[in-house]
Amino acid sequence: MIAAHGIRVARSGRTLLAVAELSLAGGIVTGVVGPNGAGKSTLTRVLAGELHPDTGDVRFEGVPIAAIAPTALAQRRAVLPQSSTLGFPLAAEDVVRLGRIPHAGAVAAAEDEAAVAAAMAEAGVVHLAHRGMATLSGGEAQRVQLARVLCQLAGPDPARTALFLDEPTASLDLAHAHAILAAAAARARAGAAVLAVLHDLSLAARWCDRVLVMEAGRIIADGVPADVLDDALVSRVWGIAVRRLAGEGARDLAFLATQA
Amino acid sequence: MSPALALPQRRRLGTRAALALLAALLAATLLAALATGPVALSPARVFAVLMGDAAAPRDAAIVLTLRLPRTLLAAVVGAVLGAGGAVMQGLFRNPLADPGLLGVSAGGAMGAVTSIVFGAALLPAALAPHAGAAAAFAGALVVTLAVQRLATVEGRVLVGAMLLAGIVFNALAGAVTSAMIFAADDMQLRDILFWTMGSVAGANPRTLAIVAAASLPLLIAAPLLARALNALILGEREAMTLGIAVETVKRLAVVLVALAVGASVAASGMVAFVGVIAPHLCRLARGADHGWVLPGSALIGAALLVAADTIARTVLAPAELPIGLVTALLGGPFFLALLLRQRLAVDGT
């Protein structure tokens, strides 16, 4: 669905991102992991069309992403950043409704309201609808923001949408982190391309069908998490000796630091 | 869809109904303002005069010549300050931002005061009467553009840098104004003092037309900015990924506000608090949706300034208080009360 070719982003002479070839398919969750400063967010912004690379091009279903009108792109591609603070107090339901902005005028009001209600159910935040965002916990607020991006992508063809999550679970507790990734994975099962930047390797192993390991602006490993995230690679890339433990399921992996 | 998913209706009053209510309030305030003064007229009488009743030339002269121009000017300036404040607050995602913050008003004051001190000496006598308005407008625009230029890095307007630049230019424009006051003679000092405190007493059809023309782009565009400003509540990155051309919106909004506020400052001087209070009242009443806050702030700002002008010219009649003094005296404590109430509500939980 999204294909990048010959991407390079540099700032003040330092290469932030260099990716020769990468494509994101619909129907799967792709995880991006790597140490701080490895270029995970930069990659996300480039693939989502938020940041234009210095060289190379990104295509959304074959069309150069920079050539797609911002509103048309926003109907098909949504981005959930790490955490947002609101400029003014809003109720949770109003925040979700803002996700319909790219569809303004294009669909009937009833359809918008149905999309809002469905997205809130999908993200498990119907009970928070009338609460002020300022009164919600960090995890609850992030799930409301997830409902907003889900409702932004609501449309006739969920298989032709792309959902980007840029460190969506940073500073969230375990239950909220899993709930957010579960909802994203459900979107992938409906056909959407999902990309999630994650710091927790166990979360990545559990929810991602494919994982990209980044180091110094480059993708150094790409594949099924259980194959890619082995002791040697994790220890080398993160610079800390790690031992991998397996749980009952094939996707249940834990990473123990063996030295402090 | 199951009934459990349906969200209950919660708005007590639709946006259109609420705006209609505010428009009616503004109309009533205008009528009351036209009826109030040394010669009291009944609202029915005022209405008849406005509808073209020529039976009583004295009433017609009082309403149409004495009261109407300044009342309409107060309404337009109030609408500009209210809507301008709401736009700036939405842009900066800060409920305390207003055109004064960006240096728009200070730039306007610098221009106007400079023209009071040097206008007579430098300009031919025929041009002098209009110099104040033009200079204030030029000052407002120059400062706003300079602030925006300084805050633009790699094609993006950085809000933090813009606020800092606004503070710097407020200080610089204030210094130039002070220098002008230092150089002024006694007569000019009086003019400067009175202009600084604000007044709509000098309104005539020409100033009204100038201010209205400069304000029209803002008042027309404000509702169109509502969607972008709503998206900006979430944050700049969020607004961009929702398909909003954030940089374009910032530039457009700043120029429109500079134009309208510059012209308003030129016509009526510094009028405090309207740009902060009107949007604040709107948000308190019905939430932060800009589809409501922008037009609502214009209507409330207009009604507030018309009421303030009526108080300014009647409370010590025949003497007249500066309108800026009235808005500051009434608005300051009111604003303080709002802040305290909000703090209590937060602390009380």
Side-chain angles (χ1 to χ4, degrees), chain A residues 50 77 84-85 87 152 166, chain B residues 10 93 233 237-238 241:
Chain A
E50 292 179 73
R77 177 280 283 126
S84 319
T85 48
Q152 179 182 344
D166 194 352
Chain B
R10 49 190 271 277
R93 309 178 68 231
I233 294 178
R237 184 182 182 191
E238 287 80 353
T241 58

Side-chain angles (χ1 to χ4, degrees), chain A residues 93-112:
Chain A
E93 147 184 52
D94 293 331
V95 168
V96 179
R97 200 167 278 124
L98 289 178
R100 297 307 291 170
I101 284 178
H103 304 269
V107 296
E111 202 175 311
D112 277 337

Side-chain angles (χ1 to χ4, degrees), chain A residues 125-222:
Chain A
V125 292
V126 173
H127 62 293
L128 303 174
H130 302 321
R131 294 268 302 275
M133 286 294 279
T135 70
L136 301 183
S137 74
E140 288 171 330
Q142 185 70 332
R143 285 170 72 168
V144 171
Q145 294 281 0
L146 176 71
R148 168 179 70 80
V149 295
L150 292 178
C151 120
Q152 179 182 344
L153 296 179
D157 195 357
R160 294 179 60 207
T161 61
L163 175 59
F164 291 85
L165 311 168
D166 194 352
E167 300 198 20
T169 59
S171 78
L172 296 198
D173 71 31
L174 208 58
H176 284 302
H178 278 282
I180 282 179
L181 290 171
R187 272 299 164 106
R189 279 197 301 278
V194 176
L195 180 128
V197 176
L198 296 170
H199 269 298
D200 184 327
L201 298 180
S202 299
L203 272 181
R206 173 73 185 79
W207 292 106
C208 299
D209 305 296
R210 171 192 183 193
V211 66
L212 310 172
V213 182
M214 294 196 72
E215 186 182 26
R218 289 179 162 75
I219 296 171
I220 56 153
D222 177 356

Side-chain angles (χ1 to χ4, degrees), chain B residues 7 13 36 49 74 114 151 188 202 209 222 227 250 256 263 295 320:
Chain B
L7 297 166
L13 198 60
T36 309
V49 168
T114 304
Q188 290 167 342
R227 190 178 300 154
K250 279 185 194 165
L256 290 179
E320 195 171 297

